[in-house]
Amino acid sequence: MRLRNISGSREIIAASEYVIHEPELKKGTIKKLFGNNNPLYIEIGMGKGKFIMESAKLHPDINYIGIEKYSSVLLRAIQKMEERELPNVKFIRMDAEDITEIFEDGEVDKIYLNFSDPWPKDRHAKRRLPSREFLKRYDRILNKEGKLEFKTDNRELFDFALEELEPAGWEAETVTFDLHHDPTLMEGNIMTEYEEKFSAKGNPICKYIINRQ
Ligand code: SAM
């Protein structure tokens, strides 16, 4: 949590060309910023951006947006982009709760949630990024054929996420409780920072791919 208080991170973010700022940060403008019609994939809660930047390097024909709530964490992603600029990646500093205010309905082609914060207390369930409240928001911004992919080593959060699907009108296309021992699903798997950390400790990684019913 120390990282959240780096002084000057807000100023650095405000001046960064890699970050989408006001007045562009509104419906109807974001996709145009890439200057092409390529599909748009977003990661919500991207942390320091390892996953999204490696994905973007491998898939230059896809546009990526990484969304992160905390300036001090986003700052790390900006620093990485300075080392290896990628034209198909942009960042947004925001709370994902407001996501329907900046993306148009159906504008996004894929959503990634990686190692989302578990919010273990029941009263905080609505804050969990795979909760039904968030699934409703994703339902609006994701195009009808779009998919959402979620990875975590937190079995309780994963079980919760699976239970949220039906009430929210989603269904699982793929589910694994041990991604790293599934050769088919591991094809093209890009490790996130947390995935590296927790799989090194021997934790199995759960993953689902979901779509609308
Ligand atoms: N996705 C990265 C990974 O797998 O290595 C980072 C995982 S980290 C545990 C979760 C990240 O999600 C944190 O950086 C946190 O600040 C961010 N986050 C949590 N809730 C968020 C929200 N409501 N909106 C945007 N970012 C959020």
Side-chain angles (χ1 to χ4, degrees), residues 29 49 63 98-99 116 127 143 146 176:
T29 54
N63 298 326
D98 302 323
I99 204 153
S116 307
R127 297 185 193 174
N143 84 37
T176 177

Side-chain angles (χ1 to χ4, degrees), residues 43 45 68-70 94-96 114-115 117 192-194:
E43 184 187 6
E68 172 52 50
K69 189 168 164 181
Y70 291 105
M94 69 179 291
D95 190 320
N114 290 317
F115 295 79
D117 294 338
T192 80
E193 238 138 29
Y194 274 65

Side-chain angles (χ1 to χ4, degrees), residues 81-95:
M81 268 282 265
E82 276 161 6
E83 287 161 23
R84 52 163 199 200
E85 250 179 85
L86 294 158
N88 56 332
V89 180
K90 296 197 182 295
F91 304 128
I92 298 175
R93 195 201 65 74
M94 69 179 291
D95 190 320

Side-chain angles (χ1 to χ4, degrees), residues 4 43-51 67-70 73 94-97 113-119 127 129 134 151 192-195 198:
R4 290 182 184 167
E43 184 187 6
I44 301 178
M46 69 156 177
K48 298 177 199 163
K50 175 185 183 294
F51 172 84
I67 293 171
E68 172 52 50
K69 189 168 164 181
Y70 291 105
V73 184
M94 69 179 291
D95 190 320
E97 265 186 36
L113 304 177
N114 290 317
F115 295 79
S116 307
D117 294 338
W119 291 104
R127 297 185 193 174
L129 292 180
F134 272 97
K151 293 196 276 192
T192 80
E193 238 138 29
Y194 274 65
E195 186 172 353
F198 291 119

Side-chain angles (χ1 to χ4, degrees), residues 19-121:
V19 179
I20 305 177
H21 306 283
E22 303 282 0
E24 278 97 5
L25 200 53
K26 62 168 192 269
K27 285 187 189 193
T29 54
I30 292 181
K31 221 170 175 174
K32 290 183 193 142
L33 297 174
F34 290 95
N36 58 47
N37 279 324
N38 292 342
L40 179 61
Y41 290 11
I42 67 173
E43 184 187 6
I44 301 178
M46 69 156 177
K48 298 177 199 163
K50 175 185 183 294
F51 172 84
I52 204 154
M53 283 187 249
E54 286 182 18
S55 303
K57 200 174 174 197
L58 276 175
H59 304 286
D61 49 351
I62 295 171
N63 298 326
Y64 291 87
I65 292 181
I67 293 171
E68 172 52 50
K69 189 168 164 181
Y70 291 105
S71 304
S72 52
V73 184
L74 175 55
L75 182 66
R76 302 294 190 207
I78 291 172
Q79 286 165 341
K80 264 192 228 164
M81 268 282 265
E82 276 161 6
E83 287 161 23
R84 52 163 199 200
E85 250 179 85
L86 294 158
N88 56 332
V89 180
K90 296 197 182 295
F91 304 128
I92 298 175
R93 195 201 65 74
M94 69 179 291
D95 190 320
E97 265 186 36
D98 302 323
I99 204 153
T100 54
E101 286 166 31
I102 62 150
F103 291 106
E104 295 207 88
D105 289 358
E107 184 175 14
V108 174
D109 297 286
K110 194 181 273 191
I111 297 176
Y112 294 105
L113 304 177
N114 290 317
F115 295 79
S116 307
D117 294 338
W119 291 104
K121 291 185 179 142

